Amino acid sequence: MTYPVFDLHCDTADRLAWQTLPAALREQLGSDTYGPGDEAEPERIRELAENRGHLSLGAIGDLSWAQCFACYIPDELTPEQARAFYRHVRAYLDGELARNDGRATEARHAQDIRPRLAPRCIVAVRTIENATLFAHGLSLIEELACSGVLMASLSWNAPGPLASGHDAPERGLTPLGRAALAEMERVHMIVDVSHLNDRCFDEVAALTERPFVASHSNSRAVCGHRRNLTDAQFGEIRDRGGLVGLNFADIFLGDRAPDIKPTFDDISRHIDHWLELGGEHIIALGSDFDGCDTPPVIETAAQMPAFQQRLEKRFGERVTARLCSENALAFFERWGR
């Protein structure tokens, strides 16, 4: 049996758009391509239909697939550069969706996602990872919400103009970050807390009323990486009725030697732990495709049907359906714009 997919995070839009970035941005970022190995075959990582990365229309096969396409904004960019970067990535994804009309569509409103799911098709949901462009002007938040951005995070790993990641664990939200958070709540743009350091997470929890999401974060109790969620953080998201997306990145799955690849059991331990914490209704998928190294059991989207079979055998149909799409669909329908 196969299940529809709703994946809360990937970097595919950046990876496809990177080669056509304006020269000044590529120079600032120090690379003409995005993913490992792309420089050797740049022509094979430009199109949504087929590419050498983790996610493509060809790779999803017959599945119905909703995908949050994050515009990941690197820490090296100023707010003004971040705005230009976002506009470029957005325009590139627009072009790819248009070129694949009939097999790729966009959901600009949360209520549009479920009705547009269809076999062999991707429903694109726009999100932002590290929304430093908001520091260029808070009016951008409502503008982007109205243009279909349903979710955004305030930081990546480094200190930023709004918040900080785990490279700066002592820093909290900036005054501008607090103002951005309030504006996101006002316009019903979902807050994504993945990458926030622990102090910033606590401040987001204290300053918000609506549920929020960790789009691609695993369990710190299972794998001690600081990017993963503590049980208390998971409990906060659970109690608010939020979402936590299971990240397929090798480094967030298990505490093991770098040359030993994670197995399905390593992935299952995160799900088992979250279920023990009462998280059946908030767990989801947050693959981080095209933004990480993935384990052999779910190396690309093409392996999702076999991965779902293993999930079903281990956790049963109900949990598998909720993990793969039902929880995320229900959440966006309740809380999305």
Side-chain angles (χ1 to χ4, degrees):
M1 181 175 177
T2 58
Y3 302 81
V5 171
F6 190 160
D7 179 10
L8 298 178
H9 185 81
C10 76
D11 284 5
T12 305
D14 277 43
R15 194 170 184 181
L16 299 180
W18 198 276
Q19 295 175 51
T20 56
L21 281 170
L25 287 175
R26 288 205 312 276
E27 183 177 353
Q28 173 73 12
L29 295 167
S31 178
D32 289 332
T33 55
Y34 181 73
D38 291 353
E39 70 283 352
E41 299 178 290
E43 70 284 352
R44 292 188 57 211
I45 193 66
R46 295 172 181 164
E47 299 180 358
L48 182 61
E50 296 284 351
N51 61 63
R52 67 178 297 275
H54 292 150
L55 179 69
S56 66
L57 285 165
I60 71 165
D62 294 330
L63 291 176
S64 304
W65 196 295
Q67 180 65 55
C68 290
F69 284 96
C71 175
Y72 155 63
I73 296 172
D75 282 330
E76 297 91 333
L77 300 182
T78 66
E80 184 174 1
Q81 290 170 327
R83 184 176 65 162
F85 184 95
Y86 169 79
R87 287 176 172 172
H88 177 84
V89 173
R90 181 186 180 104
Y92 197 94
L93 183 59
D94 283 344
E96 288 303 296
L97 296 176
R99 274 188 285 277
N100 294 282
D101 186 33
R103 290 201 62 200
T105 185
E106 178 184 358
R108 292 200 171 194
H109 302 280
Q111 304 299 326
D112 296 338
I113 301 171
R114 192 189 298 265
R116 298 189 181 190
L117 283 171
R120 301 181 56 79
C121 293
I122 283 180
V123 181
V125 177
R126 294 186 192 272
T127 68
I128 300 174
E129 181 179 28
N130 192 20
T132 54
L133 74 167
F134 292 171
H136 188 270
L138 295 184
S139 62
L140 280 171
I141 297 173
E142 183 168 18
E143 175 187 327
L144 296 184
C146 291
S147 73
V149 175
L150 300 189
M151 179 168 68
S153 66
L154 298 177
S155 78
W156 200 57
N157 290 335
L162 305 175
S164 295
H166 289 279
D167 288 353
E170 75 286 355
R171 297 195 182 204
L173 300 178
T174 68
L176 192 59
R178 293 187 185 94
L181 190 65
E183 182 65 1
M184 290 172 70
E185 284 237 304
R186 185 186 73 81
V187 303
H188 288 199
M189 184 183 288
I190 295 164
V191 177
D192 180 1
V193 297
S194 284
H195 283 285
L196 286 181
N197 65 31
D198 292 348
R199 178 177 174 183
C200 286
F201 181 104
D202 289 344
E203 292 183 8
V204 167
L207 293 169
T208 56
E209 296 181 358
R210 290 167 56 81
F212 52 78
V213 169
S215 67
H216 57 304
S217 296
N218 292 340
S219 169
R220 204 180 300 180
V222 175
C223 171
H225 198 290
R226 58 189 181 178
R227 259 281 285 114
N228 288 336
L229 298 170
T230 67
D231 285 357
Q233 290 168 342
F234 183 87
E236 178 70 28
I237 297 171
R238 176 202 63 214
D239 293 347
R240 286 174 175 245
L243 280 178
V244 174
L246 179 70
N247 192 328
F248 297 154
D250 285 2
I251 59 173
F252 304 142
L253 287 170
D255 299 315
R256 54 177 62 238
D259 59 333
I260 300 176
K261 291 291 186 181
T263 66
F264 180 76
D265 285 342
D266 292 308
I267 296 173
S268 295
R269 277 191 278 274
H270 292 271
I271 303 171
D272 280 327
H273 186 66
W274 286 339
L275 292 175
E276 291 169 0
L277 295 176
E280 181 175 333
H281 294 280
I282 74 161
I283 55 175
L285 298 178
S287 70
D288 207 3
F289 277 153
D290 290 311
C292 67
D293 293 325
T294 50
V297 70
I298 185 65
E299 197 166 15
T300 73
Q303 290 165 273
M304 184 59 74
F307 183 69
Q308 289 181 340
Q309 289 178 14
R310 298 189 73 159
L311 288 172
E312 185 182 82
K313 184 176 180 181
R314 176 71 174 263
F315 299 103
E317 292 182 9
R318 183 184 66 193
V319 169
T320 301
R322 288 176 175 168
L323 173 70
C324 288
S325 59
E326 283 302 318
N327 286 343
L329 286 167
F331 172 84
F332 273 76
E333 288 163 352
R334 285 194 308 269
W335 300 108
R337 185 181 178 88

